[in-house]
Amino acid sequence: MRRRLFLEHPAAGIVLAVFAWLVLVPLFDVPPRYLPSLGRVIADAASVSSELWNSFLHTLAETALGFVAGVALGAGFGILFASNRFLERSVLPLFVALQSVPVIAFGAIVVIWFGNGILAKVAIALYLTFFPVSVATLRGLQMVDEKRVALFLSFGASRAQIFWRLALPTALPSVFTGLKLGVSLSLIGAIVGEWFGDSVGLGVMLLQALYFEQVERVWVLIVICGLLGALLYGLLAFVERKYVWWRIV
């Protein structure tokens, strides 16, 4: 029973991965070029702990700002698409086309527009975030039962009351799916944005480590970026479990 509870815990996968890394690398004598030992990775992280912490906070700030802006824009367009069929048919395909543009190409344009400051990184994170949130919001609002809408109208409910008390609660499970996807993409956007020029950030450290072939440093940054993404995803999952309790499991 306890083993089953452990395996169902969200951190179980991380614990098992760390254990496998700790045991299997020396057991099979894996060359450091492919996967250095966990001890060497931890030692390298400790040697740049101050820079790593500052870069972590910098990338987190870019991710959070881009995510919030992307959610606001995406949710707004999702609501507009749900309320206006013409806009959905005319504008949504444009969004699909924009998402087909490689983020590297879009990032180059953003840097030309906004320079190498934090605004460019936020814009790239927003670019990757708003589309999944927009689509998830639209699909969630389209799931509203028309018979329930008619029932609300028969009791004299206004359109605003129908939205807040029926449409939004119905859409929230779908919206949170888009949010959890969007926050991961926002992190990717912030990291890629730092590759176009910055002095601090996880993306900057990763690019430097690749340039100088610092294998341990690359793995440090892979782990840190993964943990940051898992932390943001877990935070949204916690909020969803706590406040969207009517979701269908």
Side-chain angles (χ1 to χ4, degrees), residues 63 67 128 179-189 229 232-233:
T63 302
F67 176 70
L128 292 179
L179 293 180
K180 289 185 287 187
L181 175 60
V183 76
S184 300
L185 294 174
S186 182
L187 176 58
I188 293 172
L232 295 172
Y233 184 96

Side-chain angles (χ1 to χ4, degrees), residues 25-229:
V25 170
L27 181 64
F28 291 99
D29 195 23
V30 179
R33 179 177 180 82
Y34 297 105
L35 182 60
S37 67
L38 183 58
R40 293 179 62 174
V41 172
I42 293 174
D44 189 80
S47 69
V48 289
S49 57
S50 178
E51 181 185 0
L52 194 61
W53 177 245
N54 290 333
S55 296
F56 179 88
L57 294 178
H58 187 78
T59 302
L60 175 60
E62 294 169 346
T63 302
L65 290 172
F67 176 70
V68 170
V71 168
L73 185 66
F77 272 106
I79 294 170
L80 283 176
F81 292 154
S83 61
N84 191 310
R85 188 78 173 176
F86 172 76
L87 283 177
E88 180 191 354
R89 291 181 174 179
S90 58
V91 180
L92 187 59
L94 177 62
F95 285 179
V96 175
L98 285 174
Q99 288 297 305
S100 302
V101 177
V103 66
I104 296 295
F106 179 79
I109 295 297
V110 169
V111 170
I112 293 173
W113 289 347
F114 302 112
N116 288 328
I118 190 172
L119 184 59
K121 284 71 175 178
V122 171
I124 296 172
L126 180 155
Y127 166 73
L128 292 179
T129 302
F130 86 93
F131 181 72
V133 175
S134 177
V135 171
T137 302
L138 171 62
R139 297 300 175 234
L141 291 173
Q142 289 177 335
M143 293 168 61
V144 178
D145 190 345
E146 292 297 330
K147 293 181 179 179
R148 293 186 179 183
V149 174
L151 180 62
F152 269 66
L153 290 173
S154 69
F155 282 100
S158 65
R159 286 294 175 181
Q161 289 175 321
I162 293 173
F163 175 80
W164 289 108
R165 298 183 182 182
L166 176 62
L168 184 60
T170 302
L172 276 178
S174 177
V175 171
F176 265 94
T177 300
L179 293 180
K180 289 185 287 187
L181 175 60
V183 76
S184 300
L185 294 174
S186 182
L187 176 58
I188 293 172
I191 292 173
V192 171
E194 291 170 352
W195 292 353
F196 289 96
D198 208 332
S199 58
V200 63
L202 296 177
V204 175
M205 291 188 68
L206 181 58
L207 202 61
Q208 292 172 346
L210 288 170
Y211 182 80
F212 292 106
E213 296 186 358
Q214 298 170 313
V215 180
E216 289 85 1
R217 187 71 48 80
V218 171
W219 278 102
V220 167
L221 293 163
I222 289 174
V223 171
I224 294 298
C225 291
L227 289 176
L228 178 55

